[in-house]
Amino acid sequence: MRFTPIAFALQAVCPLAAQVIVSSPAAITHHVQIQPIRVKKTNGVAATTFGTGTTETYIKDQINRVWAQVGVQITWLPMVDYTNNFAYDGAPTSYATTVRPDTHLEEIVDSAGVPPKSGNAIVLNLFFVEVVPGFAQRNDNTANGLAFVDSNGITMHVGTELLTWQAGRDVVASVAAHEIGHNLGLIHAEGQPTNLMSSNGTEDRLTSAQKTTIFANRSGTDSYEFLQQAATSSHYQQWAATHAVTGGPEDDQDKDGIVNVIEFMLGLNPKVFSKLPTPVVGANGLTWTLAKNANALADGLVYRVESGSGETWLTAGTAGSGSTVVQNNATSLVVRLNSGGGRRFMRMNVDVPMALSSGAAAAAFYPPEEEPAPRVVSDCGHAGCGIHTVAP
């Protein structure tokens, strides 16, 4: 059963309001697959999508940040083009100033064949259009959409200007994540401004009650069927999926000199330039504290510090290493590089288990200001819609 679409408006008046603000991610247990469909007119004019390259990647990453809150990853099939004047803007009628009937959502979704729609009933079909049913035509600083609740089908408009700046791209991600929420059975969360499904929200959080709704098995093909079981994976792999990390554990996604597995172990963001914890200078020497991640320990990753001159390295705390293990428990590893004894360095050395990588390897990482050059890396209900308008 499909609920009658009801349009609503949500306006973000400044870049701050456009930020994608979410709660902590959960372990990824399921994924939802989406078939993006770019609608074109017969004259070749095409609706705007998420763009290409970095803009598309950024928007999809932000959508995944939203849905990672409930352990869901959004995956995307390749874009399919669909030439249909009616689907594009409601032609031959003009909706430049009058509202396009929301019943057009059902006409667009049901009249499209396979392709452009996916032949798999549990893959969500998202149509990028110029005029969304339930709205008049919107400007290029606006993103809006209309989607079925607990049923398959989304129409969405992306203003071209939004792709040119970060707050605009955040708006696009919020609207898309909101519309996906409708397909997954969520209705509007009125009076909850920090919720993804609010009609005038400022944040994109999801609640445990909404997760229960999404995962509930109701009659017909609905959110329960749209949620596909994720393959059993390590905590690292779940973390990598949540952050849309494309490389392996030994790769450096954000090119900050810290490889992905170390970012995971130390709770860093693999998409933001990060620094290793800074050692503290004291009377007895240089002390380096590394906080431990329980999920990394569960994956078999071992926090190990070595000390040496840059050519010869010994495990911290062993004879001749010139270092002392101050603490090594489930929550932290603290190593002190003792004063005296000449110039020495400390490095974090990690063996990457075969289960996390295509091959065994160990990578060495040095604390700030104590790094030899060069760096060593060795082999070792209703339907709903959302609209956000922003000005750069």
Side-chain angles (χ1 to χ4, degrees), residues 126-169:
L126 190 161
F127 293 79
F128 290 98
V129 300
E130 176 60 22
V131 181
V132 173
F135 295 92
Q137 188 167 18
R138 297 288 176 166
N139 63 41
D140 287 340
N141 280 323
T142 300
N144 60 309
L146 186 68
F148 292 115
V149 171
D150 225 14
S151 186
N152 191 338
I154 299 169
T155 51
M156 181 174 178
H157 160 78
V158 176
T160 55
E161 288 299 316
L162 294 179
L163 300 180
T164 65
W165 54 306
Q166 181 172 321
R169 294 187 288 273

Side-chain angles (χ1 to χ4, degrees), residues 309-329:
S309 62
E311 297 180 359
T312 302
W313 295 93
L314 297 172
T315 300
T318 60
S321 67
S323 60
T324 301
V325 176
V326 179
Q327 178 175 300
N328 188 12
N329 57 26

Side-chain angles (χ1 to χ4, degrees), residues 5 42 58 171 185 215 248 270 336 388:
T42 52
Y58 178 85
V171 163
F215 281 81
R336 183 177 65 243
H388 298 248

